[in-house]
Amino acid sequence: MKTGRRKSRLLTVLLAFLWPGAGHLYTGEYTRGLLLAAGILLDGGTIVRLADADGAKHLLLIVYLGLALPVFYFISVYDALQSLDRRTETQPGLKLRDGILIMVAGMLLMLLLMLRQPTTLFTWFDDAANYAVGPVLGLLAVGLVLRQRLAAVFRLGSFTAALFIAAAGGLLLWDEIHSSNVFALMRYWWPALFICLGGELVAYSLLQRRTRKQLRLDLIGSMAAVVIAGFGFLVTQYADLPFRWIDQYVDLNGAQDYGEEKGFHYQKEVLVVPMEEKTTAIQIYNVNGKVTLQSGNNDYISVDTEVWVDIDNQAEADKMAEKAKIEASSSGEKITLQAKSSSYGDNGTRKPRINITVTVPRLPNVQVEEIAEPDLDLESDDPTAQENNTPNPSSSNSSNNVEQASASIATTTSTPQQSPQQVEEQKDELPMRQLSILVHTDNGPIKIKNLDAPGGVELSSDTGEILAEGINGSIQAKANNGTITLRHITGDASITLLNGAVTAASITGNVFAEATNGALKMTSISGDIEADTKNGKININEASGSVKAATLNGGIELASSVVGGDWDVDSSVGEIKLTVPQYGSYTVYGSVTFGAITTNLPLEVSKKTVRGTVGDGKYRLQINANNSIAIQYAGAEQ
């Protein structure tokens, strides 16, 4: 079949540039044209859907798909010109595989158009996107290897590029599955690029006589590996970068805009909420602002509220302050306090700052040691804000709540005065109320102090510091960005932090602390310790129970006058320093990859290992490090 007159090169380039695939359709290569057209539609459609689902969550995949767009255009223009030279007198034959691929592309496009929240299909798409980057990079690495095997020349860098892309995909998939940050190690592993290139040259020199292939640099594969690994590192390690260029284009913290402690200041009337005997749970939610929780001698819950509206128009600020309030609701045994406000600003998304202080009754049969004001001050002092303080002209919403709550409180009768002995006997007879506390803020610190919560305390903040001190009960603290400090806790403590520092001191129970990017510091822990951070130092002083400490990037310092359990200490990049009692009952097993091992204890050091037993060897001290290990007994000269 004749293909007709000769096609115009200028028109071919123009069509291929205007839309990938159009140039191929013009030259008669319909299969490639349709696949290119469907491919760029799939690419762009997927970017839109991912951004619609959660742009910040899928940012890395969106970046990779965005990088693929110019690749489509390059292939479209370059290969369309090549198709003019490939043209023969007969039309190229079509294969069954080509038709199936085009049908699959069409079905995928239909699925993208059908995706609408909150259907199961949309949820499946969102979940699949979380794990897609790793497998896609793995397939790309396989393609580079096959490309090298089919080439007529030896492409230097093909295997290195494939290895780096596969490693990046594997680390990203591992981090997604285990919620870790192992990909951060790429900052130390990238010199392996030269090791792999050198290995390829050695292999080529050994096989040159048999293969007789010419040596050429695989520029495309090498650039692909650098771009993929580089952008992967920039996106995943963005929190550690000294510059914040992504913030100009993508809001990684969501679309909400938070007001600050400046502008017009309003003090609301105190909200009083009755607390019945059956109440066993108190929950507090605040979108923007501080939450301070403490115990008092009152037999009800009191809420002090202040509002900041950072706009220039006082009339509009008054309206925003009037709408800002704390809503109290009771459902069975649970009392919920929730900050409510209207949005303002140019985009209508800014929330006023609402700082609340909640005082709850002390449990009559629980004694909590009073803790002095902590060293960490979460209050914000803004002199400019103090100058702009303006009283609130209206606070009718909170006044109504006070009147209703106070009416209920007025019905309570006071008890006659009793002797101290009678009070203590009455406390012993009262049942233990298992009060539990939950506090959450989207943007703002949480501070709780001298609190009775035998049922446990749960604190969470997306952005803001968390401080808990003098707590009678177990505690869970979670934050994305900020610091978490727990001191004088009677019970177990669980800490999860994304970015920031963790401090735990004087904990009578077990401690679990995990951070993705941040240091962990623990002092005087009576129970077992489990500390894990991907990027940061671990410092433990006085551990009475077992210890499990691990960090990918950072040193570990552990000093204790007693060994009361097994120790498992592991640092991938960093030194390990242990200070142990000179006389005890433990066995030491340690190994180091690089660096030296030093000790003043009667232990056997042989090359890269250290072994020995002190006393009866009841407990096992396992130490693994890439860098040096130092084991000293307490009181020895360092």
Side-chain angles (χ1 to χ4, degrees):
M1 180 179 178
K2 299 293 182 181
T3 59
R5 62 185 180 87
R6 183 176 180 83
K7 303 294 183 178
S8 169
R9 297 181 69 87
L10 179 60
L11 185 57
T12 300
V13 172
L14 181 62
L15 291 173
F17 181 78
L18 290 176
W19 189 261
H24 289 80
L25 295 176
Y26 171 70
T27 60
E29 295 202 1
Y30 305 118
T31 301
R32 294 193 181 192
L34 290 173
L35 287 175
L36 279 171
I40 196 169
L41 286 173
L42 275 174
D43 195 346
T46 305
I47 291 175
V48 173
R49 285 304 180 204
L50 289 173
D52 183 50
D54 192 337
K57 182 179 179 181
H58 305 303
L59 180 59
L60 181 57
L61 183 55
I62 292 175
V63 169
Y64 282 152
L65 291 175
L67 293 174
L69 292 175
V71 175
F72 275 105
Y73 275 92
F74 175 79
I75 294 176
S76 175
V77 175
Y78 178 80
D79 196 65
L81 288 174
Q82 295 296 316
S83 68
L84 292 175
D85 299 331
R86 291 195 301 263
R87 293 184 73 242
T88 61
E89 293 299 320
T90 59
Q91 189 178 22
L94 298 178
K95 299 180 181 179
L96 178 63
R97 176 191 61 188
D98 300 331
I100 294 175
L101 288 176
I102 294 173
M103 292 175 63
V104 171
M107 288 186 289
L108 292 175
L109 282 171
M110 288 185 63
L111 286 176
L112 286 176
L113 293 174
M114 293 168 59
L115 290 176
R116 291 291 186 275
Q117 286 182 308
T119 62
T120 304
L121 187 62
F122 193 98
T123 303
W124 173 86
F125 173 80
D126 187 54
D127 293 338
N130 293 336
Y131 302 95
V133 175
V136 169
L137 294 184
L139 291 176
L140 181 58
V142 173
L144 286 176
V145 173
L146 295 177
R147 175 171 169 266
Q148 163 69 346
R149 296 192 62 179
L150 297 175
V153 297
F154 187 90
R155 299 182 185 273
L156 177 64
S158 291
F159 290 111
T160 300
L163 180 62
F164 259 64
I165 293 174
L171 292 177
L172 290 170
L173 184 60
W174 177 275
D175 288 343
E176 185 63 39
I177 294 175
H178 298 278
S179 299
S180 59
N181 190 30
V182 182
F183 196 83
L185 294 177
M186 289 290 285
R187 74 179 70 186
Y188 306 106
W189 292 353
W190 67 265
L193 172 71
F194 297 99
I195 299 176
C196 296
L197 288 173
E200 286 193 49
L201 287 174
V202 171
Y204 174 75
S205 63
L206 294 176
L207 301 175
Q208 183 179 11
R209 297 179 181 179
R210 290 166 40 183
T211 60
R212 295 183 179 179
K213 290 184 177 181
Q214 292 183 347
L215 182 66
R216 291 185 182 178
L217 178 64
D218 187 3
L219 185 60
I220 295 178
S222 301
M223 289 181 60
V226 171
V227 169
I228 289 173
F231 274 94
F233 187 85
L234 287 175
V235 174
T236 58
Q237 310 306 312
Y238 174 70
D240 295 335
L241 298 179
F243 43 86
R244 317 291 280 187
W245 52 270
I246 300 181
D247 287 347
Q248 304 176 42
Y249 312 103
V250 179
D251 185 1
L252 298 178
N253 297 319
Q256 191 67 62
D257 188 13
Y258 300 115
E260 302 176 10
E261 281 192 19
K262 61 183 182 180
F264 296 97
H265 177 239
Y266 304 83
Q267 188 69 44
K268 295 281 189 175
E269 294 188 25
V270 177
L271 172 64
V272 176
V273 181
M275 184 171 176
E276 302 178 3
E277 289 294 334
K278 65 178 181 179
T279 301
T280 59
I282 299 175
Q283 297 184 353
I284 304 172
Y285 300 94
N286 191 11
V287 175
N288 180 34
K290 295 191 292 281
V291 174
T292 303
L293 184 61
Q294 60 192 9
S295 60
N297 295 323
N298 48 302
D299 56 358
Y300 53 87
I301 299 174
S302 66
V303 183
D304 294 275
T305 307
E306 66 171 4
V307 181
W308 292 86
V309 185
D310 55 347
I311 53 178
D312 298 330
N313 190 320
Q314 183 176 352
E316 184 180 354
D318 293 343
K319 293 180 181 179
M320 292 299 103
E322 184 177 356
K323 295 178 180 179
K325 59 182 179 179
I326 305 298
E327 287 189 354
S329 61
S330 178
S331 176
E333 301 176 347
K334 179 177 67 177
I335 293 178
T336 302
L337 304 175
Q338 188 162 11
K340 296 286 188 178
S341 63
S342 297
S343 301
Y344 62 95
D346 296 336
N347 298 325
T349 59
R350 195 166 183 83
K351 287 289 186 180
R353 190 168 182 87
I354 303 177
N355 298 328
I356 60 178
T357 300
V358 181
T359 304
V360 300
R362 273 196 189 90
L363 298 187
N365 54 344
V366 176
Q367 295 295 323
V368 175
E369 179 186 359
E370 290 289 341
I371 304 299
E373 191 65 24
D375 297 333
L376 178 61
D377 186 9
L378 300 184
E379 302 295 330
S380 175
D381 296 326
D382 188 350
T384 60
Q386 300 297 330
E387 296 175 359
N388 296 330
N389 284 356
T390 303
N392 182 15
S394 175
S395 56
S396 57
N397 291 334
S398 58
S399 299
N400 293 336
N401 291 335
V402 172
E403 292 175 0
Q404 295 174 2
S406 300
S408 301
I409 299 277
T411 59
T412 61
T413 59
S414 60
T415 58
Q417 186 174 1
Q418 297 175 319
S419 66
Q421 182 178 0
Q422 290 175 324
V423 172
E424 293 298 328
E425 292 177 354
Q426 188 180 48
K427 287 181 179 180
D428 295 336
E429 295 174 358
L430 288 173
M432 173 72 75
R433 179 192 292 185
Q434 296 297 314
L435 179 65
S436 64
I437 303 291
L438 184 149
V439 181
H440 174 78
T441 64
D442 290 352
N443 180 63
I446 299 173
K447 175 182 176 182
I448 65 173
K449 180 183 175 185
N450 300 329
L451 197 65
D452 310 325
V457 175
E458 183 176 345
L459 310 175
S460 61
S461 175
D462 293 340
T463 302
E465 295 85 357
I466 294 178
L467 169 64
E469 190 168 22
I471 307 301
N472 178 26
S474 61
I475 185 168
Q476 297 181 25
K478 299 180 181 180
N480 290 336
N481 298 286
T483 61
I484 297 180
T485 303
L486 307 182
R487 292 198 288 251
H488 302 285
I489 308 298
T490 305
D492 297 337
S494 176
I495 305 170
T496 304
L497 180 62
L498 188 62
N499 295 301
V502 172
T503 301
S506 301
I507 312 294
T508 62
N510 302 326
V511 175
F512 169 81
E514 180 182 27
T516 300
N517 181 37
L520 308 179
K521 183 178 181 181
M522 303 179 190
T523 305
S524 300
I525 309 300
S526 300
D528 299 334
I529 296 175
E530 184 173 351
D532 182 270
T533 179
K534 303 302 179 292
N535 183 32
K537 184 178 179 180
I538 297 178
N539 189 305
I540 301 174
N541 187 19
E542 295 302 330
S544 301
S546 64
V547 176
K548 185 176 182 181
T551 176
L552 288 176
N553 179 34
I556 298 178
E557 294 186 9
L558 200 167
S560 182
S561 59
V562 62
V563 175
D566 295 337
W567 290 6
D568 187 354
V569 185
D570 190 307
S571 175
S572 299
V573 181
E575 299 178 346
I576 294 180
K577 298 180 180 180
L578 301 185
T579 302
V580 296
Q582 184 176 4
Y583 305 103
S585 182
Y586 53 87
T587 301
V588 177
Y589 298 89
S591 62
V592 64
T593 305
F594 308 101
I597 299 176
T598 59
T599 180
N600 61 358
L601 289 166
L603 304 175
E604 180 183 353
V605 179
S606 176
K607 295 183 179 180
K608 299 296 182 181
T609 63
V610 57
R611 299 284 189 274
T613 301
V614 175
D616 297 332
K618 180 179 179 181
Y619 300 111
R620 178 186 179 94
L621 275 56
Q622 182 71 47
I623 311 164
N624 298 301
N626 279 334
N627 292 349
S628 62
I629 295 177
I631 307 174
Q632 308 289 335
Y633 62 81
E637 294 184 1
Q638 301 297 320

